[in-house]
């Protein structure tokens, strides 16, 4: 219902991913293309707005939901620009005092990034334990075991590898 509190309704992120044989022509109408067209028509029929800038149609690569899909490589990874940012923040956290709250946010970013390669989460142990007991608002230098885990992840994962 429309009211002063709710101006519009948005349905966020309809993602349909198809396996397309490279020998197919670009104009082949796949079942997912039919479903996407039907969804767009339905949105239009009921007056829902769509955001055309986030549509990747007939493309082999896209970035959505915080992941980088590379169809021709057959990979889904954490986007490189976000990976480099996390690596930089991690190095800063290793050299400056940080609060428990800041460390939890940093580790939360790594937790999402490592969800693309879950075995990388095995690097962390002491970091999560320390983040759980560290003062939330007082900045302290990280314990050496936490620093070692952050640096170890950076050593295992350089900025050019897939995550």
């Amino acid at each position: 219902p429309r009211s002063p509190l709710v101006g519009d309704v948005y349905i966020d992120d309809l993602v349909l991913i198809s396996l397309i044989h490279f020998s197919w022509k670009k104009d082949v109408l796949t079942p997912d293309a039919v479903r996407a067209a039907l969804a767009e028509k339905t949105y239009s029929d009921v007056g829902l707005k769509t955001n055309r800038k986030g549509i990747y149609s007939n493309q082999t690569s896209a970035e959505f939901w915080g992941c980088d899909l590379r169809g021709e490589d057959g990979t889904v990874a954490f986007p490189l620009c976000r990976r480099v940012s996390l690596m930089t923040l991690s190095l800063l956290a290793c050299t400056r005092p940080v609060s428990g709250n800041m460390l939890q946010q940093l580790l939360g970013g790594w937790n999402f990034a490592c969800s693309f390669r879950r075995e990388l989460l095995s690097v962390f142990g002491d970091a999560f334990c320390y983040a759980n007991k560290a003062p939330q608002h007082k900045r302290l230098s990280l314990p050496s075991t936490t620093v070692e885990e952050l640096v170890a992840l950076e050593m295992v994962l350089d900025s050019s590898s897939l995550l």
Side-chain angles (χ1 to χ4, degrees), residues 74-149:
T75 61
V76 177
F78 190 63
L80 179 62
C81 63
R82 294 182 64 195
R83 195 177 328 145
V84 170
S85 296
L86 266 177
M87 293 172 84
T88 302
L89 289 172
S90 295
L91 290 175
L92 287 172
C94 289
T95 60
R96 293 174 170 76
V98 295
S99 68
N101 195 13
M102 294 164 70
L103 181 59
Q104 286 178 356
Q105 289 179 340
L106 179 63
L107 293 175
W110 277 120
N111 190 50
F112 179 73
C114 291
S115 68
F116 295 94
R117 296 284 304 271
R118 292 191 180 166
E119 62 272 15
L120 290 174
L121 284 171
S122 66
V123 169
F124 292 123
D126 287 343
F128 282 110
C129 291
Y130 176 72
N132 191 42
K133 66 181 180 183
Q136 293 303 297
H137 302 291
K138 183 178 180 184
R139 293 181 183 208
L140 299 171
S141 295
L142 295 177
S144 61
T145 54
T146 299
V147 170
E148 288 169 7
E149 289 176 359

Side-chain angles (χ1 to χ4, degrees), residues 60-62 68-80 83 162:
T60 58
S61 297
D68 184 17
L69 173 72
R70 300 177 196 165
E72 291 189 15
D73 296 338
T75 61
V76 177
F78 190 63
L80 179 62
R83 195 177 328 145
L162 289 177

Side-chain angles (χ1 to χ4, degrees), residues 3 6 20 26 32 40 46 54 60 71 74 82 93 116 125 127 130 136-137 146 149 152-153 163:
S3 70
V6 180
I20 305 294
K26 288 227 183 245
D32 284 341
E40 285 187 32
V46 297
T60 58
R82 294 182 64 195
F116 295 94
Y130 176 72
Q136 293 303 297
H137 302 291
T146 299
E149 289 176 359
L153 182 61
L163 182 58

